[in-house]
Amino acid sequence: MRLKDKVALITGAGSGIGYQTALRLARAGASIVAVDINEEGGLQCVADIGQRGGSATYVQADVALAADCEKMIAAAESTYGKLDVLFNNAGISHADDDDAINTTETVWDQTMAVNVKGVFLGCKYGIPALQRAGGGSIINTASFVAVLGAATPQLAYTASKGAVLAMTRELAVIHAQENIRVNALCPGPLRTELLMKYLDTEEKKRRRLVHIPMGRFGEASEIADAVLFLASEESSFVTGSTFLVDGGITAAYVTPE
Ligand code: NAD
């Protein structure tokens, strides 16, 4: 098993990428600390892992709050004795996020609090735990929008993911000689709740799909497989990367008819 005897903490484990990754890493042998602000989703994830014979515990936390992040890391160490893998994945995409003229300060601040400060706080309390464990792997969820602009604007979201990407690179360099690897996972458009609630008509979906060479949205489970690689020793020489899992969207200028 690729993650035998490893302990992995996953934020946003109650839905989408986080949920599927929790199942995937548990199947690979890891004990899972499933963190989410949404108790129902988090408990469902833990129950699902338990039914499949894995080990998981739920911690309710808001990643935008320092005390909650300190608590979730402490829970990993007190429950399983250590932390090896930290997946800072929780993120929001605000319904009123727009261009510079129309995005309110409130929307900007809320987005930055979860998407950027949440990753910072996860690292602030998680890195000392990884140091105590003798090293480990951090995966921060950015997005393909960290490297591509869109005419369907979500300015705060895009800026927040750019910040995650830059923060990840610097963390990777700082901790490179401590046996701690830090990578930015950049998913392309996925068929999860976060995106589909906006693309609620066939026309809106088609407008997006035309930019994806593969001609389909990705699945959260396909992102989970990439996280497993970044979490495991198979990626032992990979750090500071912009790890794109995007169906070719960032490679394309003109897509197939
Ligand atoms: P999702 O909405 O299905 O799941 C996100 C989870 O995070 C939810 O369970 C939610 O309750 C939790 N969460 C939200 N705010 C939180 C907080 N403050 N503290 C703790 N938990 C919180 O979304 P998803 O598609 O699985 O997205 C996961 C990550 O992937 C996000 O960072 C998102 O920005 C990123 N991403 C998604 C896509 C996509 O197309 N879906 C593409 C690129 C990047």
Side-chain angles (χ1 to χ4, degrees), residues 12 14-18 36-38 61-64 89-92 114 141-144 157 161 187-190 192-195:
S15 174
I17 296 173
D36 208 292
I37 199 168
N38 171 10
D62 178 348
V63 297
N89 166 73
I92 57 166
V114 178
T141 305
S143 168
F144 71 104
Y157 183 82
K161 295 304 185 179
L190 304 180
T192 69
E193 182 61 24
L194 185 125
L195 184 60

Side-chain angles (χ1 to χ4, degrees), residues 217-229:
F217 295 106
E219 300 293 333
S221 60
E222 294 177 292
I223 305 302
D225 283 329
V227 181
L228 174 58
F229 171 70

Side-chain angles (χ1 to χ4, degrees), residues 4 29 32 38 54 57 68 85 93 117 141 143 163 187 189 219 237 257:
K4 189 173 181 298
I32 306 296
N38 171 10
T57 187
D68 282 18
V85 175
S93 155
K117 193 176 176 192
T141 305
S143 168
E219 300 293 333
F237 201 50
E257 291 284 333

